[in-house]
Amino acid sequence: MRSNLADFSIIHFDSKYVRMGDINVEQLFKAESVLDAVLTKQDFIAKNIADFKKLIQLKKIPDIEMGKQCQHPYPCNFSNYCNSLVQPEEEETTELDNNIQVDKAAWLNYSSEFKFPLFFFDFETIQYGVPQFNFSSPYQQIPFQYSLHVLLEPNAKLIHSAYLGDGINDPRPALIEQMIRDLGSNGSIITWNMTFEKSAIKKLAENFIDYHEELMAIHDRVVDLMPPFRPNRAIVYSDAFEGSYSIKKVLPVMVPELSYSNLQIQEGGTASFMYGQLHLLEPKEHEQLRSDLLAYCHMDTLAMVKIWEKVEEA
Ligand code: SF4
């Protein structure tokens, strides 16, 4: 049924807008007609509603295999549950405490790309709808903090360094300079879910062109510790992961003596929100929050080190 309205438009932030100097409101927002898209979806919506009505009357969960629909157009909120139903293939495994199974051959093969010195690295980022700094766009991930644990060689003493912005100025220029110094020019940079760190580094390289070459060299050394824990890879597997491969779920199973639970900040969303509050605080609270942020990010990279050590021991 055609509406009598002349048009439907959505006004939204334009993600292509890059702030330079004062905000240009005309360029910050974009008005987009969605009338054609709405009209072409009308039949589809009507059919979907009819299908959903049938679906909710079923007595059993439909038997659908995981596939593209689990990620597109959005990651499905039930993926942890569905992942937990996927049985890992039978392989020769080593069993650790907590019924953790390690497929040693697959792990050696996977981790052969990890080259010493090993840099266990994690960013925290903040997103501003209205860009706060030059060379940034609406909702761009702005790294404001990192933690780094370095193992120069097997069994070497662990070295730690960290960066945290002041909550007022653009944290990226000083972060980039320290990162380049701290990460050197060789060895693997180990992350948990490298897509996030790699895309943030790539964006830094695009926005700060003077450091492009050094940042892209860092980008190309990034590797990922997370995939062996995915239920569909199951190189490291435990029922206690409950189908999740979030580091917050994997750590207490792999390394029960280490925990986020004593920290004031226990996950990235809170870290990001609290960083946004930093500039509002009196000196005493300001210092306390800084140390809470540093402690949280420190735990993220220490967790990776301890998880990696545990799997190596298997
Ligand atoms: S993860 Fe979501 S979309 Fe994928 S099979 Fe499970 S319920 Fe369906």
Side-chain angles (χ1 to χ4, degrees):
M1 188 180 63
R2 223 190 146 91
S3 152
N4 291 330
L5 293 174
D7 198 359
F8 285 104
S9 287
I10 295 176
I11 297 176
H12 58 83
F13 285 129
D14 186 350
S15 59
K16 293 201 174 64
Y17 171 67
V18 180
R19 178 170 183 170
M20 286 304 301
D22 291 341
I23 290 283
N24 181 325
V25 179
E26 297 294 318
Q27 291 176 1
L28 175 63
F29 294 104
K30 187 172 177 184
E32 215 173 346
S33 168
V34 290
L35 180 61
D36 290 346
V38 167
L39 291 176
T40 54
K41 284 202 185 316
Q42 279 191 328
D43 290 346
F44 166 78
I45 299 287
K47 180 174 178 313
N48 254 3
I49 290 172
D51 288 349
F52 286 149
K53 280 185 175 165
K54 280 189 212 151
L55 191 71
I56 55 176
Q57 281 163 12
L58 294 178
K59 299 273 179 272
K60 278 173 138 184
I61 301 173
D63 188 13
I64 308 268
E65 285 199 11
M66 292 189 76
K68 256 195 192 161
Q69 81 279 5
C70 309
Q71 288 300 323
H72 301 285
Y74 306 108
C76 174
N77 287 340
F78 293 100
S79 58
N80 282 352
Y81 172 75
C82 291
N83 269 323
S84 72
L85 303 179
V86 178
Q87 293 300 318
E89 285 178 21
E90 287 291 320
E91 299 282 354
E92 200 175 318
T93 56
T94 308
E95 189 162 334
L96 300 173
D97 301 344
N98 271 345
N99 295 324
I100 301 160
Q101 310 282 334
V102 179
D103 177 348
K104 194 67 189 169
W107 167 254
L108 287 174
N109 183 37
Y110 183 85
S111 62
S112 63
E113 65 168 329
F114 294 7
K115 306 281 184 232
F116 278 91
L118 299 181
F119 298 88
F120 295 85
F121 184 78
D122 184 65
F123 275 138
E124 299 305 325
T125 61
I126 186 165
Q127 294 172 285
Y128 300 102
V130 178
Q132 299 293 298
F133 312 117
N134 287 341
F135 303 109
S136 68
S137 302
Y139 291 117
Q140 180 178 330
Q141 301 278 5
I142 305 281
F144 62 84
Q145 175 176 19
Y146 71 75
S147 170
L148 172 67
H149 277 93
V150 186
L151 258 185
L152 292 173
E153 53 188 29
N155 304 317
K157 192 166 179 285
L158 206 51
I159 303 167
H160 181 253
S161 60
Y163 173 87
L164 176 58
D166 62 9
I168 301 166
N169 298 299
D170 186 347
R172 296 171 298 172
L175 174 141
I176 292 171
E177 291 196 357
Q178 189 179 323
M179 247 178 89
I180 291 171
R181 280 197 306 276
D182 284 351
L183 290 169
S185 55
N186 61 347
S188 297
I189 299 167
I190 300 179
T191 59
W192 193 273
N193 188 8
M194 69 177 180
T195 320
F196 182 74
E197 266 73 21
K198 284 191 101 151
S199 67
I201 296 170
K202 202 166 174 198
K203 201 73 194 166
L204 289 173
E206 274 171 38
N207 293 144
F208 295 87
I209 203 77
D210 289 351
Y211 299 101
H212 188 273
E213 206 174 304
E214 288 142 301
L215 286 167
M216 288 313 291
I218 287 173
H219 170 275
D220 294 344
R221 288 163 51 210
V222 172
V223 294
D224 201 342
L225 183 57
M226 186 185 77
F229 295 84
R230 297 178 89 115
N232 56 352
R233 297 283 285 269
I235 294 174
V236 186
Y237 180 82
S238 168
D239 284 344
F241 297 156
E242 294 175 349
S244 170
Y245 40 90
S246 147
I247 197 164
K248 309 291 187 291
K249 196 78 192 177
V250 169
L251 179 68
V253 180
M254 296 293 293
V255 194
E257 62 275 21
L258 209 59
S259 167
Y260 286 85
S261 62
N262 297 329
L263 300 177
Q264 289 301 315
I265 296 174
Q266 300 181 3
E267 51 86 42
T270 310
S272 177
F273 175 78
M274 296 311 282
Y275 180 75
Q277 309 296 305
L278 203 53
H279 68 286
L280 303 170
L281 301 178
E282 297 297 327
K284 200 165 158 228
E285 285 89 23
H286 187 277
E287 270 321 294
Q288 182 58 51
L289 181 52
R290 280 188 71 82
S291 83
D292 292 344
L293 285 164
L294 288 166
Y296 167 68
C297 202
H298 178 276
M299 180 61 91
D300 269 346
T301 51
L302 185 62
M304 279 194 275
V305 175
K306 296 298 172 193
I307 291 169
W308 173 80
E309 283 177 351
K310 199 68 180 258
V311 185
E312 283 284 294
E313 278 166 19

